[in-house]
Every structure is written in C-alpha cells, then in structure tokens.
Amino acid sequence: EGEETITMAVSNRYNLSWARGQLANAYPAPHARRYFDRLMASMRERGAVGYEIDFLDFNYLLFEPFNTDLEAAHEWLSAMGDAATAHSLPIQYCMPLPSDLLESVLHRAVTNARASHDYQPGGDNWNIGATSLLVAAVGLRP
C-alpha cells in the first residue's frame, strides 16, 4: 500500500564514449539479442511503456562494423526489434537515416520515428514535411 506507479519511456541518448560502449556490448549479433533481452526485461520490470533509440545516424556513422559489414546494422536492429516484441515494448526511432526507416518495415515493434530536428527554442521543429513523407510511406507515425 502507498506504492506509486510511474509510467515511463526509456531512451538511449547519444554520448560518444557511451554509444561506442553500448554498441560494443550489443554487437555482434549473438550478443545483441541477449543484451536487448536483458535491457527490455529490465525496462518492463520498472514500468517502461516504450523504448526510444536516439541518434541512430551517429550510431551508423561512428560504429565501424556498421560501415564495413553489410549485415551488421540489420542484425543489430533485428535483435533490438525482436527483444522489444518479446517484451511488448514499442520502439521509436530517433534521428533515423533513410536506411533505418526502410529497415523498420521488418520489425513490428517499431511504431514511430521522430521526423523533426532536435527540439531547440526558436528552431524549425514544425518543419517535418519531407521526412514525414518517408516515415508515413513505411507505415510509421511521425
């Protein structure tokens, strides 16, 4: 009695050293599924209702295997998507490249993608036209 319930969405935010460490822990593919299963299970236990993977563009640009191995990014996103599906957590892609959006059609857990730039005062966050067309074309919500 007296316990408070907190509903939350969890985000992986970008930090160069952390991102490289996180990607290294979640790669290669056999490790990726175990990593994401543990992560998603832990999130569900704590009341998470969604998962946002942020700075997808930097993940690809800064993690060498994604630039040198044709299957690496697919295997990584598949492990993430499969684990999220198994733990009933939707995924939001943030700062996705067109290749991420095309990949999303393979993963039921991916429900939406952010179509705007980062939220900055006085910015043009309303300008989602071109990006939202691709987001909608692959069946996601911007």
Side-chain angles (χ1 to χ4, degrees):
E1 185 169 297
E3 288 186 26
E4 185 177 335
T5 301
I6 299 172
T7 302
M8 63 184 147
V10 178
S11 170
N12 268 352
R13 303 209 65 188
Y14 174 76
N15 170 300
L16 180 58
S17 61
W18 181 84
R20 284 187 178 151
Q22 183 238 342
L23 290 170
N25 288 334
Y27 185 83
H31 300 295
R33 181 57 197 262
R34 287 191 300 271
Y35 171 83
F36 283 115
D37 269 328
R38 287 192 309 266
L39 178 65
M40 302 296 175
S42 175
M43 289 170 50
R44 288 301 281 170
E45 289 171 12
R46 290 171 170 77
V49 296
Y51 178 71
E52 176 187 275
I53 182 67
D54 203 349
F55 295 94
L56 276 169
D57 54 352
F58 286 107
N59 285 330
Y60 289 101
L61 298 172
L62 298 175
F63 193 59
E64 186 177 344
F66 291 166
N67 292 282
T68 58
D69 180 343
L70 292 176
E71 295 295 318
H74 166 73
E75 292 170 353
W76 182 70
L77 290 171
S78 293
M80 181 190 310
D82 292 346
T85 298
H87 296 281
S88 301
L89 285 168
I91 296 174
Q92 172 176 291
Y93 281 178
C94 191
M95 295 176 66
L97 297 171
S99 57
D100 301 319
L101 294 173
L102 294 173
E103 173 80 20
S104 74
V105 302
L106 301 174
H107 311 296
R108 275 186 330 191
V110 181
T111 59
N112 59 304
R114 196 180 83 195
S116 68
H117 297 292
D118 277 343
Y119 305 113
Q120 301 292 328
D124 63 349
N125 298 331
W126 55 269
N127 188 7
I128 64 169
T131 305
S132 65
L133 292 174
L134 182 53
V135 169
V138 296
L140 300 177
R141 294 180 298 274

